[in-house]
Structure formats: C-alpha cells, structure tokens
Amino acid sequence: MYCLEDLIKGKPDPALPEGGAPFDLQKKKRVNILGLGDVGGTLLTGLKLLGGDVVSGIGICSGGDSAKRYEYEMNQTSYPWDYHKLPEVEIIGKEALFDCDAFVFCASKSVPAAGADIADVRMVQFEANREIMKEYAIMARNRGFRGLFAVVSDPVDPLCKVAWLESNRNESGVIDHKGLKPGQIRGYGLGVMNSRAAYYARRDERFRSFLTEGRAFGPHGKDLVIANSIERYDDDLSKELTKLAVEANLRTRELGYKPYIAPALSSGAISLLLTLRGEWHYSSTWLSGVFLGAKNRVTADGTELESLPLPEPLYRRIEHAYRELERIV
C-alpha cells in the first residue's frame, strides 16, 4: 500500500513551511473576487446565498459594468425581515483587492466558445491566464498578503504554481521566499470533477460504490484520477468513470453551452466555503513543488491531507498525474 506522501519522499521541498492557517478559523471572513465573467458571477451568487455563516462581506472587482450590475442585484437578494443574514456585496478597486481574508482569482483572458473543436480547453487558456496571474501574484507580494489566495480560473493547478513562483521572485528574478507561502494558495477545480463522477454514479449501478467509498485526485483536466472505491478499487471501472467525468464538459458544449455553472458552484462557491469553515473538501494544495488536488482541510496548523492507504494501481495513476503537472511549470 502507498499514500500521497510517498509522492514526495526523498524530494527536497523548494518552499518554506506554510506557517499555519491563512485565516482565523473562528471568525467570519472578508472575501474579495477578481473577475465577474460567467464563472465569477456564478461563484459570487453561490457565496452570497450559502455563505452567511462564514462570510462577513464580499468585495467585487471587474471591468465594464458587470460589477455595478452584480452589486445592484446581489444587494437586492435577501430574506424578508432578516436583511443582514446574507453578506453584503461591495464594489472595490484593484488597490483594495488584498484587503481581505480570502482573495478569489476568477480573471480569465478568454474562454473558447461553445462548439469550438478543442480537446482540452483548460490548457488553451494557460498561456493567456498566466500573464494575468503574474500581475496579481506580484501585487499580493507587494502588499504582504497573508490570507487565502484561491485560484478558480483554468487551468487551476498550473496557475497555482505560477502564483507561488511569481510572488516569490525579487526584481532580479531570484526566488527569495518573500511572497505567498505555499499553504496560502489553493486551486479550486477538483470539486466539480468529483461531482461529475457522482452524477454518473447515481445513474449507473456499476459505479454506485463511488458515492460512499470513492475519491477524486489530481488536476481539473485530462489527468484526473477517479477511484470507484479505495478499499475495493477496480482499475477498469475507475478509468471508465474518470473518462465520463473528464468529458462531461464536452457533453455540455455539445448542447451549445459553456460548461461553467457546475464548476463555479461545486469547485468554486461550495468548496471555498468548506475551506473557510475548516471542513473537508477538494482543492489543489502544495506537494513539494506541485499543486495536486485531493481531499483536505485547513486546520490551525495548516493543511491536513486525508491519509489513506492507496492500492498500487491507484497510486501509480496519481503519481502519473503528479509528474505531468510537474512538467507544465
């Protein structure tokens, strides 16, 4: 049997220790969102409706009139007679983006249109989005930001690495470890892949074990790893379910729509709120130079990964995903 920690045995960690939780687990948190496109706007809606217990307020920053529209409509969304139950939404400028407990990166240069013949849309976005990420990673460094840096834009796992690298370079391009700590950065893409696997498991008896015994690992993309069960792992069945989850976005595109609602809610709003509550969730976290998705939670001491004995065929799939992410950036 193996475990996730075996991926980094004997491998030097290029970063300093994460240094505890990036926010106060006992208090409500201020959340600021950059980007109100399809994903950002839907994520905002989820945070507004579901986050009253843990979110004190939401700052939004976006180009055009989208911020004005969302401020107007979100603040007209409330319970009758309990008008302070849901967090207030406020328009902020770029200079205030890091005046918060959690910064959410939803900015994206472009998303291929529905119907575009592209096998992995996420990687098409990487080169464009990494330049946007560089700007805000440097801004976080300059502001001395010590809160949660949440990456939602695709591809989340490589962009997390870019955020760490760019925030920790000095003006000469040398890594000096004066920027974001690895434990501050999390990628939010695996939640929807888990939910997509669950969608098919609810509809096919062969996959039913996933609902109670299954797990998701790896990136939000082609190297995703779905396990039908940890204790009764079936490699063929798991790979079939993985393929269904990976290609679920293509099924939405075949209908003529961009597949953003489920990612914005399952990977974005729901997973982010679980993080802020200190509860178990799926996100990509630092494993000695690679951000890899797995079940984890934030504790007062930092990130706690779920520790599970992994059968060798499953471990080898996760190891392959880790090595592929390592090659990207």
Side-chain angles (χ1 to χ4, degrees):
M1 287 290 183
Y2 296 79
C3 65
L4 285 178
E5 287 77 7
D6 289 326
L7 292 169
I8 57 175
K9 277 187 178 176
K11 181 181 178 183
D13 195 323
L16 297 174
E18 59 181 78
F23 47 77
D24 189 333
L25 287 162
Q26 305 304 316
K27 296 180 179 179
K28 287 190 175 185
K29 290 84 178 171
R30 165 75 178 202
V31 179
N32 286 346
I33 302 173
L34 173 68
L36 291 173
D38 293 333
V39 171
T42 305
L43 184 148
L44 167 63
T45 304
L47 288 182
K48 168 79 178 185
L49 294 176
L50 302 174
D53 66 311
V54 72
V55 176
S56 59
I58 305 172
I60 54 174
C61 180
S62 189
D65 291 329
S66 59
K68 293 179 182 178
R69 179 228 175 161
Y70 276 107
E71 186 278 334
Y72 192 64
E73 296 211 65
M74 287 293 99
N75 290 326
Q76 294 172 28
T77 303
S78 64
Y79 284 86
W81 311 292
D82 194 356
Y83 302 113
H84 300 290
K85 184 172 183 177
L86 304 181
E88 190 82 0
V89 175
E90 174 191 3
I91 297 173
I92 59 172
K94 288 174 66 172
E95 70 284 351
L97 272 170
F98 292 101
D99 295 334
C100 63
D101 302 290
F103 165 75
V104 186
F105 183 88
C106 292
S108 184
K109 187 169 184 180
S110 64
V111 179
D117 186 17
I118 299 171
D120 196 340
V121 171
R122 302 172 188 93
M123 293 313 299
V124 172
Q125 297 172 262
F126 181 44
E127 291 307 318
N129 288 346
R130 74 183 299 170
E131 289 305 311
I132 305 173
M133 174 60 78
K134 179 178 179 179
E135 175 185 354
Y136 291 95
I138 292 172
M139 189 183 299
R141 170 192 174 93
N142 292 338
R143 289 294 306 276
F145 182 61
R146 288 294 175 259
L148 175 68
F149 193 106
V151 180
V152 178
S153 298
D154 277 328
V156 299
D157 314 271
L159 284 177
C160 284
K161 181 68 176 289
V162 171
W164 181 78
L165 284 170
E166 298 298 342
S167 76
N168 281 284
R169 295 190 201 277
N170 62 22
E171 293 180 355
S172 300
V174 177
I175 298 293
D176 62 5
H177 300 288
K178 293 183 179 179
L180 296 166
K181 290 179 168 54
Q184 289 181 255
I185 306 169
R186 268 179 163 69
Y188 290 88
L190 190 56
V192 74
M193 306 309 267
N194 177 74
S195 294
R196 285 168 173 166
Y199 172 90
Y200 289 104
R202 292 195 301 270
R203 286 157 178 79
D204 189 329
E205 184 67 35
R206 295 178 305 132
F207 304 129
R208 197 60 55 85
S209 62
F210 176 81
L211 299 175
T212 54
E213 303 169 19
R215 291 292 187 278
F217 302 92
H220 177 57
K222 66 180 181 64
D223 291 317
L224 171 73
V225 177
I226 296 294
N228 73 302
S229 170
I230 298 297
E231 293 185 1
R232 298 180 294 160
Y233 179 71
D234 184 312
D235 199 50
D236 290 336
L237 206 60
S238 294
K239 288 177 178 176
E240 184 179 349
L241 184 55
T242 299
K243 187 173 187 292
L244 289 169
V246 168
E247 296 181 354
N249 64 323
L250 301 180
R251 305 290 83 80
T252 304
R253 286 181 170 271
E254 287 169 359
L255 296 173
Y257 297 96
K258 293 180 184 179
Y260 65 84
I261 296 175
L265 295 176
S266 290
S267 289
I270 292 172
S271 296
L272 184 58
L273 289 172
L274 290 173
T275 304
L276 296 178
R277 294 177 184 130
E279 297 180 16
W280 292 104
H281 66 281
Y282 282 112
S283 64
S284 296
T285 59
W286 178 270
L287 277 176
S288 194
V290 172
F291 283 88
L292 184 79
K295 183 178 176 181
N296 71 89
R297 64 179 174 180
V298 177
T299 73
D301 296 322
T303 301
E304 179 185 0
L305 279 174
E306 182 184 41
S307 182
L308 287 173
L310 304 172
E312 183 171 358
L314 173 58
Y315 175 78
R316 295 304 175 196
R317 292 177 64 202
I318 300 170
E319 182 181 42
H320 173 78
Y322 182 92
R323 301 304 173 206
E324 289 301 303
L325 284 169
E326 202 169 30
R327 290 189 184 100
I328 295 173
V329 60

